[in-house]
Amino acid sequence: MQEKILVLDFGGQYNLLIVRRIRQQHVYAEVKAWNSITLEQIEREGYRGIVFTGGPNSVYDPASPHFDPGILRLGIPILGICYGHQLLAWMAGGEIRPAESASEYGRVALEHTGGTLFEGIPSESVCWMSHTDYVKTVPGGFTVTASTENCSCAAMADDSRKLYGVQFHPEVTHTEYGNRLLWNFLFAVCGCHGNWTMDDFVSASIARYRHELSGKNALCALSGGVDSAVAAVLLHRAIADRLTCVFVDHGLLRKGEREQVEQVFRRRFQMNLIVVDARERFLTRLKGVTEPERKRKIIGEEFIRVFEEEAKKLGKQNVLVQGTIYPDVVESGAGSAAVIKSHHNVGGLPEKIGFERIVEPLRELFKDEVRAVGLELGIPEEMVMRQPFPGPGLAIRVMGEITEEKLTVLREADAIFREEIMRAGLADAPSQYFAVLTDNRSVGVMGDERTYGWVIALRAVSTDNFMTADWSRLPWELLARASSRITNEVRSVSRVVYDITSKPPATVEWE
């Protein structure tokens, strides 16, 4: 039986980072909403360990998410993180109080007194805190194992029952020895062996969908991006010719995008591919629209309507396949998370769709995991490692109203920027890079004459999870060449700027 860890989600924004950190140590982990699984199911599944995640609530609020205290008697090791730490203490009989001087945010100095969870970690290190409540009194059987200047119980342990809690976030990179702490929990406490690999995910997914979709036909929403490409090949391995891929040219594609998709999927993978020219349809719906969320909603709905129409032409199509990944789900406000921006394939979907179900085989994966799956499936590296491209396409990189003129300008500027990064040998250095057409014009001078052209913003970020990202420190010479070429080669552009904002507070895309 495959060893696995249950991550019980209590609504925090970055909770699947915990899953990701665990999987990086070759232990399979899966996330379940706190109210979607029972004690009996947990026991039946045979989990090696359980992690209670963070969340925005206070455990002493009756309306906050709780769990049956019987989970503490199952004999399964538990690690509570932030809200999960407080919930663990609360369920075991401890006292939780609002933090007055004890609230902490950001990097904080941590001191520990030893114990299994802190094996191999210096007694003094840096952790990442984000809390307004704290454990005032630990439950019976627990001892305090770490503290900070303002938090007397930054960690607690009951070794006899293998119950542990930490107020800080070991899953974020800002916690200096977070990965080691998780390793200690997984291997020293839970007794895991670390034998899970990405090919296990691939084989399990193919077997799952081969069974679930037996005798059913599927339509795959193929954008040409990495996520939908991997989802398409994965499902093709499972149901072969019963999968039909539909690529919608909505008029919001990058330069050469449509031609590349047709070449790769129709010729190389020999998959059933339908290309729909819907440029006029989408741009008509988007005419006069300037609000970003409205753009996304329109594109999401129109995508579905096109897929429904193509499905009717093909005959019975039972399911719709999408390349949704976890950052899409979180930013669209799934579960208890706040809505940051609706993604066309999650929060942008209309209420009624003409399919029995939607299949999202990559829904719980991060971008780097999706790429690992793609390589495991044999997709060419140049396709797997290509630049991420959002489903709404250039619509969320054109600020304000979308017009043919703006799209033409942006396509050329974006192509030049990407060419210069490739030429500099930095294609894999930034995690994502692209151009944005702002809704501003700026005075310039060309040939001794005054100009009044568009302002192009260049964006490049580095990240390992796309939940947080830092702006990339590209060489000035590269930026200078890109700026010079864009202002000289792209008509009606008078100024180029570089975005140096990290995520948070910004998002990767501008809209």
Side-chain angles (χ1 to χ4, degrees), residues 94-248:
E95 184 181 9
I96 315 300
R97 286 282 183 256
E100 295 173 0
S101 62
S103 60
E104 296 169 307
Y105 298 94
R107 290 181 174 87
V108 176
L110 176 79
E111 293 186 14
H112 74 78
T113 57
T116 307
L117 215 56
F118 290 97
E119 183 67 34
I121 298 175
S123 59
E124 296 183 5
S125 62
V126 173
C127 69
W128 183 264
M129 287 283 198
S130 180
H131 69 102
T132 54
D133 294 336
Y134 74 107
V135 177
K136 182 178 181 181
T137 307
V138 298
F142 282 82
T143 58
V144 174
T145 55
S147 61
T148 68
E149 182 179 357
N150 292 322
C151 185
S152 59
C153 180
M156 63 181 187
D158 182 342
D159 288 308
S160 63
R161 291 189 290 172
K162 296 186 177 181
L163 304 177
Y164 303 87
V166 293
Q167 184 60 69
F168 55 92
H169 289 269
E171 73 274 20
V172 302
T173 55
H174 310 297
T175 294
E176 200 171 1
Y177 294 95
N179 279 336
R180 177 58 197 243
L181 188 146
L182 290 174
W183 189 96
N184 288 337
F185 178 70
L186 296 172
F187 297 94
V189 177
C190 300
C192 293
H193 296 88
N195 51 17
W196 182 76
T197 58
M198 198 52 70
D199 63 328
D200 293 322
F201 174 84
V202 171
S203 57
S205 296
I206 291 173
R208 171 188 172 185
Y209 292 115
R210 185 171 290 154
H211 172 71
E212 288 186 7
L213 303 182
S214 176
K216 295 183 181 295
N217 295 318
L219 199 67
C220 179
L222 183 64
S223 71
V226 177
D227 306 331
S228 64
V230 174
V233 175
L234 185 65
L235 263 294
H236 187 254
R237 290 281 181 88
I239 63 173
D241 289 342
R242 286 185 285 110
L243 174 73
T244 300
C245 294
V246 176
F247 176 74
V248 180

Side-chain angles (χ1 to χ4, degrees), residues 11 90 94-95 97 131 184 199-200 219 226 245 252 257 270 293 297 316 327 330 332 365 372 402 434 479 497 504 507:
W90 177 268
E95 184 181 9
R97 286 282 183 256
H131 69 102
N184 288 337
D199 63 328
D200 293 322
L219 199 67
V226 177
C245 294
L252 305 165
E257 196 90 29
Q270 299 181 332
E293 277 295 284
K297 296 288 186 182
K316 181 65 174 177
V330 172
S332 297
L365 299 186
I402 299 167
F434 53 88
L479 292 171
V497 299
T507 54

Side-chain angles (χ1 to χ4, degrees), residues 7 46 48 60 103 127 377 391 402 421:
V7 176
R48 285 292 187 98
Y60 46 78
S103 60
C127 69
L377 288 167
I402 299 167
I421 287 182

Side-chain angles (χ1 to χ4, degrees), residues 51-70:
V51 177
F52 291 172
T53 74
N57 303 94
S58 295
V59 297
Y60 46 78
D61 181 349
S64 65
H66 291 84
F67 203 79
D68 189 333

Side-chain angles (χ1 to χ4, degrees), residues 354-425:
F355 298 90
E356 294 175 12
R357 60 178 286 200
I358 293 176
V359 170
E360 298 168 315
L362 313 176
R363 186 182 177 90
E364 293 186 355
L365 299 186
F366 288 88
K367 181 70 72 174
D368 62 323
E369 293 177 318
V370 172
R371 286 182 165 136
V373 169
L375 294 174
E376 187 67 33
L377 288 167
I379 301 175
E381 186 173 359
E382 61 269 21
M383 185 87 187
V384 172
M385 302 307 294
R386 69 195 295 249
Q387 279 294 291
F389 190 58
L394 299 182
I396 58 173
R397 294 177 182 174
V398 169
M399 304 297 102
E401 183 180 6
I402 299 167
T403 65
E404 287 281 12
E405 177 201 356
K406 285 184 174 182
L407 289 169
T408 299
V409 169
L410 180 56
R411 280 194 189 95
E412 295 303 321
D414 181 71
I416 289 171
F417 185 40
R418 288 187 287 122
E419 282 174 14
E420 289 301 329
I421 287 182
M422 294 285 287
R423 184 177 299 173

